[in-house]
Each structure stands twice: as structure tokens, then as C-alpha cells.
Amino acid sequence: MRKISFNRSLVLMLLLVFASSGALTACGFQNKSDQVGSKAVSGAVPTIDATLTQEGSSAVISYKVNNLTIAGDSVGAAPKEGEGHLHIYVDGVQKAMLKTDAPVRLENIPPGKHTIKLSLQQNDHVPLNVEKVFDVTIQK
């Protein structure tokens, strides 16, 4: 399981971005929006099934992507039909690229309301306009 800390340096964040990433599981958070559309290269409509479980100031996210192969080795390459990866955003700031289907753990989320978003991307980081959004409230 990959961990993302909000108190880590930029260097650590960059290392995490290029490390293996994974799935997101949502529980205890409001699901704000599901898939909003798709421009998949393959023509098949990809979808994301995700859940999020809150554990204090941490969140574990598990997900399954349908109609798209998560191709971690092809991140940054030219678009290829049926391949891609995910980006994870917290409050509009990209935190990582998810290159596998392993769960992801976000740690040390500050108290307050936050928006966590998964977004499907082509290999070249062009969004497929398929996302899953969770509204989260971390208690003090």
C-alpha cells in the first residue's frame, strides 16, 4: 500500500509520484461525483469504481478501473488505445500518479473539509474526463 504524507518534502512527493500507486477505497466520505464523461482513445467508455475509508487523519482509497488497462510502464509515453493511469488530487493539487491497482493511503490530512479526486488519464497525461470525487471531513 502506498502512503502519501502531507508533511513530506517536494522531493519525497516526486519519488512517490514515480513509485507504484494504486487503488482507492471510500468509506465514511460523501461521494460527490462519479464518471463525468470520456474521450477514451479506444472508443470504449472507461469507468472508475472507488471507495474511501477514513482512519483518523488518514484515508485509504481502493479502486477498480473498467475498460482501460492501467499501464504504469507507459506513463508519459504516447497515447495507446485502451491504456492509461490515474492522477489523485487533494483540494485541486495533484498528489500522485497511480500506476497500479494497489490501494493508496493518504496520511496526515489536516483537519477540515477536503476534496479527493481520482482522474483517468491517457499515457501522455491527457484527461479522459472520467473521475471519482469524494468530499472528506477530518475532525480535529
Side-chain angles (χ1 to χ4, degrees), residues 49-120:
D49 294 321
T51 58
L52 186 145
T53 304
Q54 183 179 351
E55 299 171 356
S57 66
S58 299
V60 177
I61 305 166
S62 298
Y63 69 88
K64 178 179 167 121
V65 174
N66 301 299
N67 301 322
L68 186 79
T69 300
I70 303 302
D73 293 339
S74 298
V75 172
K80 184 174 179 185
E81 189 170 315
E83 285 187 359
H85 62 282
L86 292 98
H87 288 180
I88 185 168
Y89 299 86
V90 177
D91 298 329
V93 176
Q94 183 180 337
K95 295 293 181 181
M97 286 182 277
L98 309 178
K99 302 186 250 181
T100 70
D101 59 2
V104 172
R105 182 178 183 89
L106 300 171
E107 293 189 333
N108 302 316
I109 303 170
K113 294 182 180 183
H114 302 280
T115 300
I116 298 173
K117 177 174 80 171
L118 298 175
S119 175
L120 285 180

Side-chain angles (χ1 to χ4, degrees), residues 13-25:
M13 182 53 72
L14 291 175
L15 290 174
L16 290 174
V17 166
F18 293 105
S20 66
S21 330
L24 304 195
T25 310

Side-chain angles (χ1 to χ4, degrees), residues 20-47:
S20 66
S21 330
L24 304 195
T25 310
C27 180
F29 296 102
Q30 178 185 357
N31 181 356
K32 184 176 173 184
S33 69
D34 289 326
Q35 287 66 248
V36 294
S38 174
K39 294 190 288 187
V41 175
S42 68
V45 178
T47 61

